[in-house]
Amino acid sequence: MGGASVREPGRVGQSGSKMAVGRRLLGAALIFTVWFIPALTVDRSNFKTCDQSSFCQRQRKLQPGLSTYRAALGSAKLSSDKLQVQLIDERNQASLLLEVYGLDGNMTRIKINEINPLKPRYEVPDVLVGTPLPENLRVTEQDDNTLELSLGETGNKLLMTGTPFRLDILSGQDLVLSVNSRGLLHFEHLRERKDTLSAKVSSAVGNMWHKVKTLFTSDSEKKDVPAETDEANPEEVESVKEEENKMPEVDEPGMWDETFKTHTDSKPNGPSSVGLDFSLPGFENVYGIPEHADNLKLRTTEGTDPYRLYNLDVFQYELYNTMALYGSVPLLLAHNTKRTLGIFWLNAAETWVDISSNIAGKTLLSKMFQYMQGGGETPQTDVRWMSESGIIDVFLFLGPSPFNVFKQYASLTGTQALPPYFSLGYHQCRWNYNDEEDVRNVDAGFDEYDLPYDVIWLDIEHADGKRYFTWDPHKFPNPRNMLSRLKEKKRKMVAIVDPHIKIDSGYRIHNDIQSQNLYIKTKDGSDYEGWCWPGSAAYPDFTNPEMRQWWASMFSYDKYEGSMDNLFVWNDMNEPSVFNGPEVTMHKDAVHWGGWEHRDVHNLYGFYVQRATTEGLIQRSGGKERPFVLTRAFFAGSQRYGAVWTGDNSAEWDHLKISIPMCLSLSLVGISFCGADVGGFFKNPETELLVRWYQAGAYQPFFRAHAHLDTPRREPWLHGDDNMAVIHDALRQRYTLLPFWYTLFYKALREGDPVMRPLWVEFPSDASTFAMDSQYMLGSALLVHPVTEAKARGVQVYLPGDGEVWYDVHSYQRYEAPQTTYLPVTINSIPVFQRGGSIIPRKDRPRRSSDCMQADPFTLYVALNVQGEARGELFLDDGHSFNYEQNEFLFREFNYSQGKLTASSLDPSGVFKTPSWIERIIIIGATKPTSITLSLAGGSESSLEFAYDQPTSVITVRKPGVNIASDFTVSLR
């Protein structure tokens, strides 16, 4: 689904299209009533820049220099896992509490908060999966202005400087990271408005004068003295004056209310922003902080807007800029040839991130010249975080390897949920499949043209008047019959359930939420209302556990009428999207459970919606079945609840190209289950673009085609036989690799390893990979370089790894690495290379869906490295339940060395019965053997048939016939 571009409700008339299925003609009228008129591109004026955000202005106005804060080292209190120190702002003597924690696994946590705030400041709940284990801290050195701590047993040290306040983390003698070295710590204390405080001071002084006067007044005169208005004492006056001292001399515009376009944000708590800087000496490459439509390597923001983290419905977004999009993960990674670091800023309010570098703008030639002259400065990247409210709560991941950082972050926020097997197949979607007949015909088209797919999707028009959890009685009168027909073919359906609820007294969902007082409130205490797809809508308060529990219960089969176990869910518009709200979202002064303002929790809203939906799908099966939930909005920790897509893209070549770095950025921050709308949501793709997008999508984790209601139908058979054949081949490639994909997701679940990863993750010392985002790795075994240019006749592919070899997966041609090679391409080409030293299990028999392949045999693709060795893994279970948590699984290891291929268990605790066997073994880069034998664990041996292809050096071993769960050895002589 898309977002809105015009705030006033309007009406779009009829939109019709026809689709040919084989020799049949399907006529289907598309009639949709929507509340906006689509624009051609995003209207940037609907979204704030830093200059239009008062807190960003105030934070940015503070320029680098000596910090105004000092650490009162005499106040230091050290326990086994935590150091507490007061920070004093020398401008007004306002105090903060600094807490430094040593955490197990080479992590450090820094928290800064007010000591006695007027009211509690928001601290993000529910994102961390548990309390991080502490690491012992101890003082190793101290003098009048410095305090040195050892950070556990890692050999890392933290050096605190008192005046000006600064923190430095060292590994041995190397400075790894500095905090507040540029003096940009800025913490706005909660306070009362200045005119209110002045009145309080006058009142308190007046009351004191009244007490003094009565002391010197005779009893007869006291009757003429007016009664005091309040109890007051000198401490009261000093307290109020101290509060005044925390304020600037003059209130700045935007501190107590702020207007953007026609919307005014009342700010009852006044200015409350926080900011802090981090310096990374030796680093010039930083990544992460999605979601932005930008390159993988983050740009410097000097002279431009900072990167913005504020979940927004920005449809048909622009590319290569720092604008906020649908989701936010405040995790930044830095990498150089020696180390990888992470900075996790745990704050759910609107956040801006400034990035600067001392080498920004310098050309490679000038850097080389400085190096040859023996001069030049050490590269350094500086990162500045600025959030509108909350506290400073930041985790520093000290690596040192990329995989260490992934594990450190996963230990805090959890790992990617293991998806059901079917969800790794192909998904067919559009806004909207019109009715049950349309669904039946599209499903039949895939069978007629022998095209595999797993899931068909329904957008908002399937519901009765956009009342979610219902079905249109005319278009979808028998949803159970429709779902049953799909289930007979071992296919699934996904239906959209959005978090805006139509205000309608005849709508059970609305009445239940309203009667339980579970809607978000306005600042005045009434239910918050806004415009979205149904018209006037209210918004459930998903920050409230009671709301989440109620929402989850609505997915039970008796409450979600017409649903079955093969119906799954799509959460869209959950930023939340409010068509007539400021920046197409909710007013910041709306009030949530616990009295928190929306400004405090905004970036968490979509996280909570997906969480509640996921919990509902689990509960409906009694906790037995794995859910599938796709979300558009997300936050840190969203990986625990399902998949994410990159939102409302366009049918343009640049949008195809940007899908790669967008998904890579998500993968780096723990969200591996990512994809982009194949073909582009808006506009009409030319046929070449559509074909290339299918080829690229087949090698991204989430593989779904989707289209706007105003676009012509795009089912794969509607573009001519030749193009359909190419799409067919891309789909087949996807399905043969499903065991490989599934194993990668199991590794993501267990270790936190990204499924789709930048080249530098696998080759961390190869600086030439640090900015690459046109090609990437799947696990450690496959390198993919999709064709993303129109009319391309070739691509430049970089094959990394000193002394390594790569093999074209289609031709088996061998390439020595490292090298950049020009690879000629045709419309049929998907450049994919298997890394020498890897073994990939595949299922090569074509079927209509992934469930139909469950018992099919495997083929092992063994790609030898220069040492003649290879290794691979395979995870296998029932593909849909949580039984793997009760050890009902197989985790197999395959090793090839010295002419022998062995299979064994990587986890003997897992047991799972499967009929799947090995029908072929393909050994790539081998010399011709004279014989091949199979030895089983019981001691039996048998000869195996094989063929050898001399030009490609490939051995094909036919029908070993051994069960995939068996231990065995295949010996080549």
Side-chain angles (χ1 to χ4, degrees):
M1 272 303 309
S5 61
V6 177
R7 303 285 68 79
E8 298 302 321
R11 186 177 294 269
V12 172
Q14 296 185 1
S15 173
S17 64
K18 294 184 179 180
M19 176 188 67
V21 177
R23 291 166 296 278
R24 299 188 301 272
L25 184 65
L26 297 178
L30 293 167
I31 304 175
F32 299 100
T33 302
V34 296
W35 296 100
F36 74 105
I37 301 171
L40 295 177
T41 58
V42 63
D43 183 354
R44 294 193 66 171
S45 70
N46 284 327
F47 304 99
K48 287 184 180 181
T49 63
C50 179
D51 286 341
Q52 295 168 314
S53 171
S54 64
F55 88 88
C56 186
Q57 272 188 309
R58 293 194 304 275
Q59 288 280 343
R60 241 186 172 189
K61 189 163 63 175
L62 181 65
Q63 294 297 306
L66 294 178
S67 178
T68 62
Y69 287 88
R70 65 177 173 86
L73 298 185
S75 69
K77 296 180 181 178
L78 179 65
S79 62
S80 60
D81 66 325
K82 179 172 62 177
L83 172 71
Q84 292 182 313
V85 180
Q86 284 193 35
L87 301 179
I88 311 296
D89 189 341
E90 297 285 26
R91 295 169 298 183
N92 52 27
Q93 301 305 302
S95 298
L96 298 171
L97 178 64
L98 166 69
E99 296 177 298
V100 179
Y101 299 78
L103 301 179
D104 182 52
N106 212 14
M107 298 181 287
T108 301
R109 184 180 194 177
I110 298 170
K111 294 180 74 173
I112 302 177
N113 197 357
E114 295 186 57
I115 295 177
N116 292 304
L118 285 181
K119 60 181 292 187
R121 299 179 69 114
Y122 190 73
E123 299 188 40
V124 175
D126 299 320
V127 167
L128 303 183
V129 293
T131 303
L133 295 175
E135 188 77 88
N136 287 335
L137 300 177
R138 60 186 178 86
V139 176
T140 51
E141 285 189 35
Q142 185 173 5
D143 59 31
D144 290 343
N145 198 42
T146 57
L147 180 67
E148 184 182 273
L149 294 175
S150 71
L151 299 173
E153 304 302 321
T154 61
N156 294 330
K157 295 180 180 180
L158 182 142
L159 185 66
M160 180 183 297
T161 302
T163 305
F165 165 63
R166 169 178 174 147
L167 296 175
D168 295 292
I169 294 180
L170 297 93
S171 177
Q173 299 300 312
D174 297 330
L175 177 60
V176 174
L177 177 147
S178 298
V179 181
N180 201 40
S181 63
R182 302 172 74 217
L184 297 176
L185 170 61
H186 187 49
F187 199 110
E188 295 181 328
H189 290 252
L190 297 180
R191 55 189 172 83
E192 296 190 51
R193 199 161 187 162
K194 194 163 188 177
D195 51 8
T196 305
L197 276 170
S198 297
K200 282 190 173 183
V201 171
S202 299
S203 174
V205 171
N207 287 336
M208 282 187 63
W209 172 243
H210 178 281
K211 290 178 180 288
V212 171
K213 187 175 182 181
T214 56
L215 289 174
F216 297 96
T217 304
S218 66
D219 289 342
S220 61
E221 294 174 315
K222 284 182 180 178
K223 65 180 186 298
D224 299 321
V225 178
E228 55 186 325
T229 58
D230 246 324
E231 289 296 322
N233 53 51
E235 288 79 8
E236 178 186 357
V237 177
E238 288 306 313
S239 174
V240 175
K241 285 187 174 180
E242 181 182 340
E243 197 62 43
E244 259 194 325
N245 286 337
K246 296 178 183 178
M247 303 168 58
E249 289 298 318
V250 180
D251 278 342
E252 299 179 23
M255 280 186 166
W256 294 94
D257 56 67
E258 183 173 0
T259 299
F260 178 68
K261 301 190 83 168
T262 61
H263 301 279
T264 297
D265 172 20
S266 70
K267 298 183 177 182
N269 297 317
S272 57
S273 70
V274 297
L276 186 61
D277 65 281
F278 301 82
S279 295
L280 307 171
F283 291 90
E284 56 180 301
N285 300 281
V286 291
Y287 314 89
I289 57 170
E291 183 178 33
H292 301 95
D294 206 356
N295 291 316
L296 174 65
K297 178 183 174 180
L298 300 175
R299 66 183 65 203
T300 57
T301 58
E302 295 164 303
T304 67
D305 256 10
Y307 281 98
R308 192 183 188 197
L309 296 174
Y310 191 60
N311 296 0
L312 292 172
D313 181 0
V314 187
F315 85 106
Q316 202 166 341
Y317 44 83
E318 293 182 6
L319 307 184
Y320 304 107
N321 64 54
T322 59
M323 285 180 67
L325 288 179
Y326 310 98
S328 302
V329 181
L331 170 63
L332 179 140
L333 290 83
H335 179 73
N336 62 24
T337 56
K338 297 180 179 179
R339 179 181 290 269
T340 307
L341 297 176
I343 302 173
F344 176 35
W345 179 267
L346 184 53
N347 189 301
E350 178 186 354
T351 297
W352 300 79
V353 185
D354 252 331
I355 299 171
S356 57
S357 169
N358 63 350
I359 59 171
K362 293 183 179 179
T363 65
L364 179 61
L365 188 61
S366 68
K367 293 179 192 176
M368 290 178 61
F369 180 77
Q370 285 182 339
Y371 176 78
M372 293 170 65
Q373 296 296 313
E377 55 189 327
T378 301
Q380 177 168 304
T381 297
D382 298 302
V383 182
R384 179 184 192 177
W385 300 79
M386 302 167 283
S387 294
E388 184 175 16
S389 64
I391 69 167
I392 292 174
D393 189 1
V394 60
F395 294 84
L396 305 177
F397 306 132
L398 304 180
S401 76
F403 291 97
N404 292 145
V405 171
F406 301 145
K407 189 180 293 292
Q408 288 156 1
Y409 178 67
S411 72
L412 297 180
T413 66
T415 58
Q416 177 70 57
L418 181 64
Y421 196 84
F422 79 83
S423 64
L424 300 179
Y426 172 64
H427 300 248
Q428 181 67 37
C429 182
R430 75 173 280 110
W431 176 23
N432 201 83
Y433 286 119
N434 308 326
D435 50 32
E436 290 178 8
E437 182 183 7
D438 198 3
V439 170
R440 185 185 303 113
N441 286 322
V442 172
D443 177 69
F446 277 89
D447 290 335
E448 179 170 344
Y449 292 101
D450 194 26
L451 297 164
Y453 94 103
D454 267 83
V455 193
I456 191 166
W457 291 54
L458 295 180
D459 212 317
I460 57 175
E461 313 302 333
H462 84 278
D464 182 9
K466 301 178 181 67
R467 299 171 182 88
Y468 305 110
F469 298 100
T470 70
W471 303 84
D472 186 301
H474 305 291
K475 297 177 181 178
F476 296 92
N478 299 298
R480 283 185 175 272
N481 290 344
M482 174 179 63
L483 289 165
S484 295
R485 286 192 296 269
L486 290 171
K487 190 171 184 177
E488 289 170 1
K489 295 183 177 182
K490 299 188 176 183
R491 287 173 176 152
K492 315 293 189 291
M493 173 173 279
V494 168
I496 199 167
V497 180
D498 286 348
H500 48 261
I501 303 301
K502 183 179 179 68
I503 297 175
D504 176 358
S505 60
Y507 181 24
R508 175 178 61 89
I509 298 295
H510 166 65
N511 290 339
D512 283 1
I513 298 174
Q514 187 178 57
S515 66
Q516 296 178 64
N517 201 30
L518 294 175
Y519 280 129
I520 297 169
K521 307 300 180 185
T522 67
K523 62 181 179 179
D524 300 318
S526 59
D527 288 348
Y528 181 93
E529 295 182 14
W531 282 93
C532 209
W533 296 123
S536 186
Y539 291 77
D541 187 359
F542 285 93
T543 68
N544 187 338
E546 290 185 19
M547 178 62 230
R548 297 198 298 271
Q549 291 168 11
W550 181 90
W551 182 268
S553 72
M554 289 300 102
F555 290 95
S556 64
Y557 299 123
D558 60 333
K559 292 182 179 177
Y560 189 171
E561 200 170 327
S563 65
M564 289 178 53
D565 60 358
N566 65 331
L567 179 68
F568 298 87
V569 181
W570 171 17
N571 291 148
D572 196 5
M573 316 298 287
N574 54 340
E575 292 76 27
S577 180
V578 183
F579 291 170
N580 61 338
E583 300 193 87
V584 203
T585 193
M586 187 167 287
H587 293 74
K588 289 181 175 180
D589 55 10
V591 180
H592 287 261
W593 176 68
W596 299 108
E597 286 190 290
H598 186 70
R599 82 181 72 252
D600 299 312
V601 305
H602 175 84
N603 286 344
L604 278 175
Y605 190 78
F607 166 90
Y608 277 130
V609 174
Q610 188 186 25
R611 172 181 170 175
T613 303
T614 295
E615 289 170 349
L617 295 191
I618 294 173
Q619 289 173 20
R620 75 177 184 180
S621 69
K624 297 178 181 178
E625 296 296 314
R626 275 178 267 162
F628 172 76
V629 180
L630 179 72
T631 183
R632 190 170 71 177
F634 53 84
F635 190 66
S638 288
Q639 66 270 13
R640 307 198 298 264
Y641 303 118
V644 165
W645 94 106
T646 62
D648 299 336
N649 58 3
S650 295
E652 300 172 7
W653 286 95
D654 279 348
H655 276 261
L656 166 59
K657 191 179 302 182
I658 206 73
S659 70
I660 299 172
M662 289 182 75
C663 278
L664 287 173
S665 294
L666 283 164
S667 294
L668 289 176
V669 300
I671 301 176
S672 274
F673 207 179
C674 168
D677 286 345
V678 168
F681 179 68
F682 286 104
K683 302 183 180 179
N684 303 318
E686 58 192 273
T687 302
E688 182 192 8
L689 173 59
L690 182 66
V691 168
R692 289 301 192 197
W693 216 318
Y694 267 99
Q695 293 172 333
Y699 285 91
Q700 291 180 0
F702 177 57
F703 185 22
R704 181 186 75 154
H706 188 34
H708 190 276
L709 65 90
D710 287 333
T711 64
R713 298 293 283 255
R714 295 186 195 162
E715 286 72 29
W717 51 87
L718 299 177
H719 311 282
D721 290 346
D722 290 343
N723 292 308
M724 185 185 68
V726 179
I727 295 172
H728 177 275
D729 183 58
L731 293 172
R732 284 286 171 82
Q733 289 187 46
R734 172 64 169 217
Y735 276 79
T736 62
L737 284 170
L738 286 181
F740 174 69
W741 281 105
Y742 196 54
T743 301
L744 291 180
F745 272 96
Y746 181 71
K747 295 278 288 185
L749 169 74
R750 291 301 185 213
E751 306 293 336
D753 296 350
V755 170
M756 178 181 179
R757 55 189 73 158
L759 264 65
W760 63 259
V761 169
E762 284 294 322
F763 303 93
S765 62
D766 186 346
S768 62
T769 67
F770 292 176
M772 283 187 180
D773 56 16
S774 60
Q775 58 184 69
Y776 56 90
M777 297 292 297
L778 294 178
S780 60
L782 288 183
L783 186 151
V784 185
H785 191 309
V787 180
T788 59
E789 300 284 348
K791 298 179 174 56
R793 296 185 178 183
V795 293
Q796 294 282 348
V797 180
Y798 178 67
L799 300 171
D802 288 335
E804 297 205 29
V805 294
W806 297 84
Y807 302 92
D808 186 309
V809 299
H810 309 294
S811 67
Y812 302 131
Q813 182 174 342
R814 174 188 171 115
Y815 294 87
E816 306 286 339
Q819 68 160 298
T820 298
T821 184
Y822 178 80
L823 185 72
V825 297
T826 67
I827 193 62
N828 299 287
S829 303
I830 312 177
V832 182
F833 298 84
Q834 184 171 347
R835 189 179 185 178
S838 66
I839 299 176
I840 296 179
R842 291 174 25 173
K843 287 193 172 185
D844 287 341
R845 295 189 181 186
R847 304 287 186 183
R848 64 163 53 135
S849 72
S850 63
D851 276 3
C852 294
M853 303 168 69
Q854 189 174 18
D856 281 355
F858 287 89
T859 296
L860 301 181
Y861 285 77
V862 182
L864 302 183
N865 61 18
V866 293
Q867 291 80 29
E869 298 175 345
R871 182 188 176 278
E873 298 170 350
L874 172 67
F875 175 77
L876 194 63
D877 71 343
D878 63 22
H880 60 85
S881 78
F882 286 104
N883 289 351
Y884 70 89
E885 295 179 347
Q886 280 71 52
N887 294 329
E888 293 185 22
F889 67 87
L890 294 174
F891 192 25
R892 306 291 296 165
E893 179 180 32
F894 306 98
N895 273 292
Y896 187 96
S897 180
Q898 297 180 345
K900 292 184 177 182
L901 173 67
T902 60
S904 58
S905 176
L906 266 174
D907 188 346
S909 67
V911 178
F912 180 70
K913 292 184 178 180
T914 174
S916 293
W917 52 285
I918 299 174
E919 67 173 343
R920 286 189 306 166
I921 300 171
I922 309 293
I923 305 174
I924 310 165
T927 57
K928 184 177 182 180
T930 57
S931 65
I932 301 178
T933 59
L934 170 67
S935 303
L936 299 178
S940 62
E941 288 192 5
S942 57
S943 297
L944 297 177
E945 295 183 4
F946 69 93
Y948 183 73
D949 184 69
Q950 186 72 42
T952 58
S953 301
V954 171
I955 302 170
T956 301
V957 183
R958 301 189 183 97
K959 293 185 179 179
V962 62
N963 189 282
I964 195 68
S966 299
D967 292 350
F968 64 84
T969 300
V970 172
S971 301
L972 283 67
R973 298 182 176 84

